[in-house]
Amino acid sequence: MAAPCKAPTCKIGPSILNSDLSQLASECHRMMDSGADYLHLDVMDGQFVPNLTFGHPVVKCLRPKLPKAFFDMHMMVQEPEKWIEGMHDAGADQYTFHYEATEDPTACIRKIKEAGMKAGIGIKPGTSVEVLVPFVDLVDMVLIMTIHFLRDRFKNIDIEVDGGVGLSTIQACAEEEGGGGFGCQGLNV
């Protein structure tokens, strides 16, 4: 069972895909030096989503250059269970997989925790937030690919907003809107 988090605080986790990938380590240092709380690493396999990014070898290269940074792995991959060991060995701190990508989310969460990482679960746009309810007590973070409001129902879970967060939308993500906003928890810009 996930330990309840304290009152929501704003955390900023920039995606490294917004970086100059030819200078990835220095770009990551720049983000952390600019006040990022953690780094969001989008891993795409070309199957679960059409794009292809990187795998655990890149994470393994970054880890010694950023020993204190928290690596939040956003695993947009089919069969996320197959990637857990490699990401753990590479130095990932949190492993967030998609509900839609596995046949057994509970077993995936258990495997992540057994590997010593924090576990997150995400949903794609169009998937009902309700599918996450059975897993909220098992995970450390919930990732919503579009703006859905969970804060009113689950006050003590980290909620990460991913996709389209920028200067024009960040304020709306951070504010309480009618009591149902995110409380500024885990914005991925």
Side-chain angles (χ1 to χ4, degrees):
M1 180 191 234
C5 64
K6 298 176 183 166
T9 58
C10 186
K11 296 177 186 172
I12 305 293
S15 172
I16 70 168
L17 287 184
N18 293 329
S19 302
D20 174 352
L21 297 178
S22 70
Q23 302 293 322
L24 192 52
S26 62
E27 288 280 281
C28 290
H29 275 290
R30 187 172 62 86
M31 287 183 265
M32 295 304 294
D33 291 345
S34 295
D37 296 293
Y38 62 93
L39 295 174
H40 181 87
L41 290 81
D42 290 301
V43 177
M44 303 176 204
D45 66 357
Q47 295 175 29
F48 182 69
V49 294
N51 293 340
L52 181 65
T53 57
F54 55 85
H56 67 272
V58 170
V59 179
K60 190 171 187 170
C61 289
L62 283 176
R63 176 45 74 197
K65 295 175 180 359
L66 297 137
K68 294 181 182 176
F70 185 89
F71 287 179
D72 168 37
M73 309 306 302
H74 179 188
M75 304 299 296
M76 291 174 273
V77 299
Q78 200 62 41
E79 299 182 74
E81 300 85 355
K82 293 181 177 181
W83 296 65
I84 293 170
E85 186 177 328
M87 285 301 176
H88 170 262
D89 292 345
D93 296 296
Q94 181 164 280
Y95 189 100
T96 301
F97 68 97
H98 276 266
Y99 167 84
E100 304 90 348
T102 182
E103 293 182 16
D104 191 348
T106 302
C108 191
I109 293 165
R110 183 174 49 254
K111 190 171 180 180
I112 294 164
K113 296 282 190 167
E114 287 172 355
M117 294 180 288
K118 288 187 172 194
I121 189 168
I123 56 173
K124 292 168 72 171
T127 300
S128 171
V129 174
E130 293 299 316
V131 301
L132 298 176
V133 173
F135 310 106
V136 169
D137 288 334
L138 303 175
V139 297
D140 301 288
M141 192 269 298
V142 173
L143 182 144
I144 308 297
M145 289 295 294
T146 58
I147 299 175
H148 295 279
F149 296 102
L150 289 176
R151 180 60 60 219
D152 59 338
R153 186 160 179 189
F154 302 105
K155 299 200 183 308
N156 293 321
I157 187 79
D158 285 347
I159 299 172
E160 181 175 87
V161 180
D162 187 7
V165 179
L167 291 176
S168 64
T169 59
I170 195 165
Q171 189 63 36
C173 293
E175 291 176 349
E176 287 284 331
E177 293 182 10
F182 286 99
C184 198
Q185 188 77 358
L187 299 176
N188 173 23
V189 293

